[in-house]
Amino acid sequence: MGELSLKCKVSILISWALVLTCSAAKQDYFFHSGNLTWEQARNHCQVCYQDLATLTPENIQTIAKEQNITSDCWIGLRKNFDYNSTSNSSMPWSRWANGDPLLFQNWYPGWPVFRSSLPKRYCCTCQGTSQDATSLTGLAEETTENTTNMSNFTDQTVTDSTGLGESIQTVTDSTGFGESIQTVTDSTGFGESTSQNITPITAAPTMTTQPPAEAGCVPILDLSESDTNFIEDSCVAMLSFGAWVEKNCWELLSYICYEDRFCGEVTMTDRTSDSAVLTWEPGPGDISHYRVEVRVNKTLKTEIQTKNLTYKPVNLTGGTGYSVQVFPVKCGRDLNPQELLFYTTPDKVSNLTATIVTETSVHLSWNRPAGNVDFYLIKVQDTDWNKSKTESQGVDKLTPGTCYTFTVISGVLDGSTWSEETSIELYTKPGKVSNLTVSNNTMNSLQLKWVPPEGRVTGYRVVALNDRNHILYSETEETPEKKVTGLPMGTKITLRVSALTNGTSREGDTTTVVNYTAPGPISNLVLNSTYNSLTAKWSPSEGNLSSYTVKLQLDGTLVTTANNVTKLMKHFDGLMNAANYTVIVYAISGHIKSSPVADSTFTKPSPPTDLIVINTSKNQITFQWKAPVNISKATYSVKINSSFWKYSKVETLYNKTSYTSEGLISGTKYDFEVRTITTPEESSDPVTVSNCTEPDKREIGLSMLCSSAEILLCDTTTTRKSVFEQLKAHFNNQLGDNIFWELEEN
Ligand SMILES: *[C@@H]1O[C@H](CO)[C@@H](O)[C@H](O)[C@H]1NC(C)=O
Ligand SMILES: *[C@@H]1O[C@H](CO)[C@@H](O)[C@H](O)[C@H]1NC(C)=O
Ligand SMILES: *[C@@H]1O[C@H](CO)[C@@H](O)[C@H](O)[C@H]1NC(C)=O
Ligand SMILES: *[C@@H]1O[C@H](CO)[C@@H](O)[C@H](O)[C@H]1NC(C)=O
Ligand SMILES: *[C@@H]1O[C@H](CO)[C@@H](O)[C@H](O)[C@H]1NC(C)=O
Ligand SMILES: *[C@@H]1O[C@H](CO)[C@@H](O)[C@H](O)[C@H]1NC(C)=O
Ligand SMILES: *[C@@H]1O[C@H](CO)[C@@H](O)[C@H](O)[C@H]1NC(C)=O
Ligand SMILES: *[C@@H]1O[C@H](CO)[C@@H](O)[C@H](O)[C@H]1NC(C)=O
Ligand SMILES: *[C@@H]1O[C@H](CO)[C@@H](O)[C@H](O)[C@H]1NC(C)=O
Ligand SMILES: *[C@@H]1O[C@H](CO)[C@@H](O)[C@H](O)[C@H]1NC(C)=O
Ligand SMILES: *[C@@H]1O[C@H](CO)[C@@H](O)[C@H](O)[C@H]1NC(C)=O
Ligand SMILES: *[C@@H]1O[C@H](CO)[C@@H](O)[C@H](O)[C@H]1NC(C)=O
C-alpha cells in the first residue's frame, strides 16, 4: 500500500501521455455522387451510414461548403413517411428520415407545391361561404391575402394556413431567402403557399377535405391551372446551393448520408511485459470487421482484422508505449477509430549489485532489462523512492555496519505500470575502531583496548603479525578489548583490529598499532670484580632485543644506570673496594623491559703497597709493606715460597706491616707474597717481592775424564770448551737462580 502511494507520487512528476479524446455528438456527412432513387439512397445510407442527411441550420452551411455538392442530391425528407402505421404522425413534411422533427426548412421559393385544383373547386363554387369553408377546416381562422412585388412571386398569395392559431401572425424570415418574401413567411415552417390569389384554407392535402354537404357546394373541376409541379408523393432534393425542391422519388440522384461520429473506448486488461488484452466497443450498425493497428512511435507494428471485440497482441516488448487504433469497418469504410495508448510492463532489472560499499554509502548498478524502460526507482529500506535515469545510483547517509535492502524497479513514462522488484540485501562496511591502545605487555601477551566505531558492530577481528607479516594470532572478539596471547618474547608485534558485522562476514577497515612483547630475562649473569671495578657478563635472552639496561646498586642504592647497552657485558670502574655491589640487568625490546636478573658481589680489598726487603742474612729475610689506604687494621696473608726446595709457608698476620722469615737456607732465592684479607674467601691481589739469603759458599771440585775414538780429540780446546758449556747449561737447568752457584774451569 505504502509502496503504491509512493509510486503514485512519482507518477505525478511524470508527464502524462496525450489524452485521447473523441468529440461525441458530432456528425459526419457523406456525399455520394451517383444515381439512386430516394429509397435506394436511403437504403444505402442506412446500411453503410446511419441515414439520409438531416439538415439543420447548424449543419447546412457545412454540408454545402464541404461536400462540394455538384448536383441535386437526396436528403432525408419526403412528404410522407410511413414511419409507424400506429402513430398519428402521418402529417406531411413532419419528420426527417431518422425521425427527427422538422424544425427547419429551406425551400426554394415555390416549394413545396400543392395540388391547386382542390381548393379552387371548393372555393369557387361556394360563393360567400368561404368563411364557412375555412371554419369547417377548423384550422385557419384568418386569411390574409396579399401579393408581392417579387418577380416570381407576383401572383402568389402566401397564406398562413397552418391552423396553429392566431398568434402566429408574426412574419419572419426564416428561410434565408431574402427580404423579398419577408412579409409572407410562416414562421412555423409549415406554411403552404398556393399560386393563386384566392386563399385556400385547407391544412394539408391528405387531411379530410370533404366539402361540407350542408353548404351545398358542388365541386367543379377547374383544370385551367397547371399542376405540373405537383407531386403526390414527393421526395426532397437539395440543390447544389442549398435550397430544397421536391422531386419524384424515383428520380436518380446523388445523395447525402450522415452518420453520428462513433466514439468508443479501447480498454486494456491483463497487461504483462509481452502481451495485453484489448477490448473495444462494438461499432454502430452492420460492422463487417474491425481493423486493429498497433503502432510504436508512429511505426506500424501489427495490423489485424477481426470480427471479435477483443484482441491479444503477443510478443510485445516490455516497457514500450503501444498506440492502438481500432477502426470499425462498415461497407469497406473506416469509422472513427477507438484509440488507446498503453505501456507494456517493463521487465525487471537484473544483476543488481553494489559496486562500491563504504561505511556510509553504497553505489548500486544493475543491468538494463530487455525491452524498454524510461526510468528506474530505487528504494532503500522503507524510505521514499528515488528516481534514476541511468543504470546506477549512489546512496549515501547510511549507518555503518547495518543491513539495508535496496530495491529497484523499472518504470514507464506514464507511471501506469511497474516492473517486478529486484532487491539486494547488504551490509554497509562497519566503521573503524579508534583509540587502540596496548597495555600490560608481558613476554607472551599484550592487552588491547579500543573504542567501538559508530554504527552497528557484531564483533571484532584481532590479528597479530610479526615483522615478516606472519600471522601470530587471529581471533574474533565481541567486546572492545582483548588479551592477545601466545606471542613470542621480545618481539615487535603489529596488531590489527577491525570491526565486523553480520557475524564475521563483513569486515571494516583495520586500525593498526605496533608494540612489543617483553623480552625474556637474561641468563648466566657472572660478575667479576677487582678492588675498584666490576665486570658483568651474561647470556642473551630470547627474542629480538634492541638493547639492555644495566643498573648498579650499592647496598640497595642506585649508583648508576647504563642504558642502550648492546654488548653482552658491562664494565664499571671507580668503585669502592670491599663493597657489596648489586648488578641488575634488563633486556629491552622496544620500550619494554624484561624481568630483571640481579647478582651481587663484593669488590676486592686493596693490596698492600711498597713491599720491600729491609734485611737479609744467611738464614733469614725481613720485609715490610704499607697498609692499603682506608684500612686501619688489616689482616694480611704472607706467603714464603722456594720452588727449589719445595718450601712454602703461609702466615696470617694481624695488623703488622713487617715480617721476618727465619730458618731459611742460605744462598736460596725466596718469593714473598702479601695480600690484604677481608673474608676468608676474599683477599686482595698479592704484592710480591723476591730475595736471596746470603750464600755460605763451598767449593766442590769436579774432574772429568775424556776418552775418544778419535786421536787427540779430547785434547783440543774447542772440545774442552764445548764440554764445559754443556755442563754449565746442565747446572743452569737444574738450579737456575734458585740457589747460589758458580762454575769455574781450571
Ligand atoms: C447512372 O447510372 C448509369 C447506368 O446505371 C451509369 O451509366 C451512370 O454512370 C450513372 N451515373 C452516375 C453519376 O453514377
Ligand atoms: C471540396 O473541394 C475542396 C476544394 O476543391 C477540397 O479541398 C475538398 O476536399 C472537397 N471536399 C470533399 C468532401 O470532396
Ligand atoms: C411503430 O410503433 C410501434 C410502437 O411505438 C413500434 O413497436 C413499431 O416498431 C413501430 N413500427 C415502425 C415500422 O416504426
Ligand atoms: C397587400 O400588400 C399591399 C402592399 O404590398 C398592401 O397595401 C395591401 O394591404 C396588402 N393586402 C392585404 C390584403 O394584406
Ligand atoms: C421567374 O419565372 C420565370 C417563369 O416562370 C422564369 O423564366 C424566371 O427565370 C424566374 N425568375 C427567377 C429569378 O427565378
Ligand atoms: C475471436 O474470439 C474467439 C473466441 O473468443 C477466438 O477463438 C478467435 O481466435 C478470435 N479471433 C481472432 C481473430 O482473434
Ligand atoms: C512469438 O514468439 C515466439 C517465439 O519467438 C514465436 O514462436 C511465436 O510464433 C511468436 N508469436 C507471434 C504471434 O508472433
Ligand atoms: C552481472 O554483472 C557482472 C559485472 O558487471 C558481469 O560480470 C556478469 O556477467 C553479470 N551477470 C549477469 C547475469 O548479467
Ligand atoms: C550474512 O552472512 C551470511 C553468512 O555468512 C551470508 O550468507 C549472508 O549473505 C550475509 N548477508 C548479507 C546481507 O551480506
Ligand atoms: C580517543 O582518545 C583521544 C585522546 O587520546 C580522546 O580525546 C578521545 O575522546 C578518545 N575517543 C574516544 C571515543 O574515547
Ligand atoms: C606500547 O606499550 C606500552 C606499555 O604497555 C605503552 O605504554 C605504550 O603506550 C604502548 N604504545 C602504544 C602505541 O600503544
Ligand atoms: C594487567 O594485568 C594484570 C594481571 O594480569 C591485571 O590485573 C590488570 O588489570 C591488567 N591491566 C590492564 C590495564 O589490563
Side-chain angles (χ1 to χ4, degrees):
M1 300 274 287
E3 284 178 17
L4 275 180
S5 63
L6 286 168
K7 288 180 193 175
C8 289
K9 255 194 221 169
V10 169
S11 63
I12 293 168
L13 306 173
I14 297 162
S15 62
W16 284 88
L18 177 78
V19 177
L20 302 167
T21 56
C22 176
S23 62
K26 189 171 189 302
Q27 285 186 343
D28 291 320
Y29 303 93
F30 305 89
F31 174 79
H32 282 268
S33 68
N35 37 21
L36 296 181
T37 65
W38 190 92
E39 284 294 349
Q40 287 169 332
R42 186 181 185 207
N43 193 44
H44 182 231
C45 287
Q46 282 178 338
V47 169
C48 294
Y49 306 92
Q50 206 153 327
D51 211 322
L52 279 170
T54 295
L55 302 183
T56 65
E58 289 75 35
N59 70 13
I60 182 102
Q61 296 270 355
T62 322
I63 293 172
K65 278 184 192 160
E66 287 178 7
Q67 298 298 319
N68 300 343
I69 296 168
T70 49
S71 58
D72 300 352
C73 53
W74 292 125
I75 60 173
L77 188 61
R78 71 183 292 173
K79 189 184 281 178
N80 295 307
F81 284 113
D82 196 17
Y83 287 113
N84 201 326
S85 50
T86 62
S87 82
N88 288 329
S89 61
S90 53
M91 199 178 258
W93 316 119
S94 61
R95 305 244 154 221
W96 288 93
N98 65 357
D100 285 353
L102 185 68
L103 296 176
F104 161 77
Q105 55 181 325
N106 191 31
W107 291 109
Y108 190 81
W111 272 279
V113 178
F114 292 93
R115 191 189 299 277
S116 57
S117 53
L118 286 177
K120 195 164 195 167
R121 268 182 264 157
Y122 300 145
C123 299
C124 291
T125 55
C126 303
Q127 291 184 355
T129 63
S130 62
Q131 294 274 349
D132 296 336
T134 52
S135 63
L136 278 173
T137 65
L139 292 169
E141 291 174 16
E142 276 198 31
T143 53
T144 307
E145 294 181 19
N146 219 321
T147 58
T148 69
N149 296 328
M150 290 302 291
S151 57
N152 282 7
F153 287 81
T154 311
D155 294 322
Q156 293 183 356
T157 304
V158 179
T159 309
D160 172 11
S161 58
T162 60
L164 293 185
E166 300 124 288
S167 59
I168 311 172
Q169 292 298 317
T170 321
V171 176
T172 311
D173 172 16
S174 60
T175 61
F177 273 77
E179 289 138 26
S180 56
I181 52 169
Q182 60 189 333
T183 59
V184 294
T185 306
D186 171 8
S187 65
T188 65
F190 280 83
E192 297 174 3
S193 59
T194 67
S195 56
Q196 301 300 317
N197 259 334
I198 299 164
T199 308
I201 311 300
T202 61
T206 51
M207 290 185 72
T208 304
T209 53
Q210 289 297 318
E214 63 272 23
C217 287
V218 179
I220 295 166
L221 268 176
D222 180 0
L223 297 174
S224 60
E225 292 294 327
S226 165
D227 263 347
T228 49
N229 282 338
F230 178 78
I231 301 166
E232 183 66 44
D233 180 22
S234 66
C235 290
V236 179
M238 185 172 75
L239 305 179
S240 59
F241 53 89
W244 308 347
V245 294
E246 288 173 288
K247 288 196 182 277
N248 278 310
C249 293
W250 41 259
E251 280 187 50
L252 301 180
L253 293 184
S254 301
Y255 53 97
I256 302 176
C257 301
Y258 88 94
E259 189 170 50
D260 286 328
R261 180 169 292 179
F262 174 61
C263 279
E265 269 183 24
V266 182
T267 51
M268 182 263 312
T269 52
D270 297 345
R271 163 162 56 190
T272 68
S273 66
D274 67 350
S275 73
V277 173
L278 304 171
T279 310
W280 54 86
E281 296 171 22
D286 191 9
I287 302 296
S288 62
H289 61 269
Y290 297 89
R291 189 159 52 79
V292 184
E293 293 181 1
V294 180
R295 286 185 163 76
V296 175
N297 283 335
K298 296 182 178 159
T299 310
L300 185 63
K301 292 289 177 194
T302 316
E303 179 173 2
I304 61 136
Q305 294 189 353
T306 179
K307 286 189 192 302
N308 292 352
L309 290 176
T310 64
Y311 168 56
K312 182 174 180 183
V314 295
N315 288 1
L316 301 181
T317 308
T320 308
Y322 286 90
S323 88
V324 177
Q325 285 184 301
V326 178
F327 296 89
V329 179
K330 188 152 85 169
C331 299
R333 177 179 60 93
D334 286 349
L335 266 53
N336 191 41
Q338 313 178 53
E339 298 183 331
L340 176 69
L341 174 64
F342 75 95
Y343 282 87
T344 44
T345 303
D347 290 312
K348 67 176 187 175
V349 308
S350 61
N351 212 4
L352 174 61
T353 52
T355 49
I356 303 166
V357 181
T358 71
E359 281 100 346
T360 57
S361 71
V362 167
H363 193 87
L364 300 169
S365 73
W366 55 88
N367 287 3
R368 188 184 175 87
N372 296 307
V373 60
D374 291 315
F375 60 89
Y376 306 96
L377 295 185
I378 300 97
K379 189 176 68 168
V380 182
Q381 296 294 75
D382 294 323
T383 60
D384 285 359
W385 292 94
N386 280 307
K387 196 171 165 184
S388 170
K389 291 235 172 225
T390 60
E391 283 75 35
S392 65
Q393 171 86 355
V395 181
D396 54 10
K397 292 182 185 147
L398 303 177
T399 307
T402 308
C403 186
Y404 286 95
T405 304
F406 300 93
T407 306
V408 178
I409 55 175
S410 37
V412 293
L413 216 51
D414 68 355
S416 61
T417 178
W418 303 91
S419 74
E420 288 173 46
E421 296 184 346
T422 304
S423 297
I424 51 165
E425 250 192 6
L426 55 88
Y427 279 84
T428 47
K429 216 163 146 178
K432 252 179 114 165
V433 307
S434 56
N435 287 14
L436 177 61
T437 57
V438 179
S439 59
N440 263 14
N441 305 48
T442 71
M443 285 189 286
N444 59 7
S445 74
L446 298 172
Q447 179 74 36
L448 282 177
K449 260 196 170 173
W450 58 88
V451 174
E454 252 183 77
R456 280 186 40 118
V457 167
T458 53
Y460 304 92
R461 187 187 305 284
V462 180
V463 176
L465 305 162
N466 67 10
D467 265 354
R468 282 167 292 155
N469 278 337
H470 284 169
I471 292 177
L472 304 171
Y473 180 92
S474 176
E475 298 238 339
T476 58
E477 175 60 45
E478 282 174 15
T479 56
E481 58 182 1
K482 183 80 184 167
K483 186 170 183 181
V484 179
T485 55
L487 301 175
M489 287 185 243
T491 307
K492 183 180 179 188
I493 307 283
T494 303
L495 296 147
R496 293 182 181 165
V497 178
S498 49
L500 302 171
T501 191
N502 187 27
T504 58
S505 66
R506 193 99 186 89
E507 191 167 340
D509 285 342
T510 58
T511 303
T512 301
V513 69
V514 174
N515 220 311
Y516 294 82
T517 45
I522 56 118
S523 56
N524 298 336
L525 177 61
V526 176
L527 304 180
N528 278 309
S529 58
T530 66
Y531 68 97
N532 67 350
S533 73
L534 192 154
T535 302
K537 291 189 180 178
W538 57 87
S539 302
S541 64
E542 256 183 78
N544 286 326
L545 300 171
S546 48
S547 64
Y548 298 93
T549 293
V550 185
K551 289 184 177 173
L552 183 67
Q553 290 178 340
L554 175 58
D555 295 331
T557 312
L558 184 65
V559 176
T560 180
T561 301
N563 287 313
N564 295 325
V565 175
T566 51
K567 292 179 183 163
L568 293 171
M569 60 151 311
K570 178 65 186 171
H571 183 76
F572 296 99
D573 271 328
L575 306 184
M576 294 178 70
N577 55 52
N580 188 3
Y581 281 96
T582 301
V583 173
I584 306 169
V585 181
Y586 301 91
I588 305 290
S589 171
H591 299 289
I592 309 302
K593 283 180 187 170
S594 70
S595 53
V597 173
D599 200 3
S600 299
T601 190
F602 280 88
T603 43
K604 297 219 163 69
S606 298
T609 57
D610 298 334
L611 176 64
I612 50 166
V613 175
I614 53 171
N615 189 20
T616 308
S617 69
K618 281 186 185 172
N619 57 1
Q620 64 178 39
I621 294 173
T622 303
F623 51 91
Q624 69 170 39
W625 58 90
K626 287 181 180 162
V629 286
N630 292 339
I631 288 189
S632 46
K633 286 184 182 176
T635 306
Y636 301 100
S637 163
V638 178
K639 186 177 176 188
I640 305 117
N641 180 51
S642 165
S643 56
F644 184 77
W645 301 113
K646 305 247 184 312
Y647 171 84
S648 181
K649 186 182 174 190
V650 175
E651 290 269 359
T652 301
L653 307 177
Y654 298 102
N655 217 12
K656 286 171 69 179
T657 57
S658 70
Y659 179 71
T660 302
S661 181
E662 292 171 337
L664 303 182
I665 299 166
S666 64
T668 303
K669 179 184 155 209
Y670 285 93
D671 296 327
F672 302 95
E673 210 179 90
V674 181
R675 297 169 190 259
T676 315
I677 297 176
T678 46
T679 65
E681 299 84 32
E682 280 300 332
S683 56
S684 75
D685 289 339
V687 282
T688 57
V689 67
S690 293
N691 211 338
C692 292
T693 46
E694 293 288 313
D696 184 9
K697 291 181 187 172
R698 310 265 174 88
E699 289 195 2
I700 299 169
L702 281 175
S703 31
M704 302 183 77
L705 180 65
C706 175
S707 62
S708 166
E710 199 177 323
I711 298 165
L712 296 179
L713 183 62
C714 288
D715 210 23
T716 62
T717 318
T718 46
T719 304
R720 280 172 44 205
K721 262 214 161 117
S722 160
V723 170
F724 182 77
E725 287 301 322
Q726 285 182 26
L727 195 60
K728 200 174 178 181
H730 174 74
F731 281 112
N732 195 35
N733 192 31
Q734 290 293 313
L735 305 173
D737 62 350
N738 290 317
I739 58 168
F740 177 83
W741 62 275
E742 284 171 343
L743 187 63
E744 282 175 15
E745 186 185 9
N746 289 333

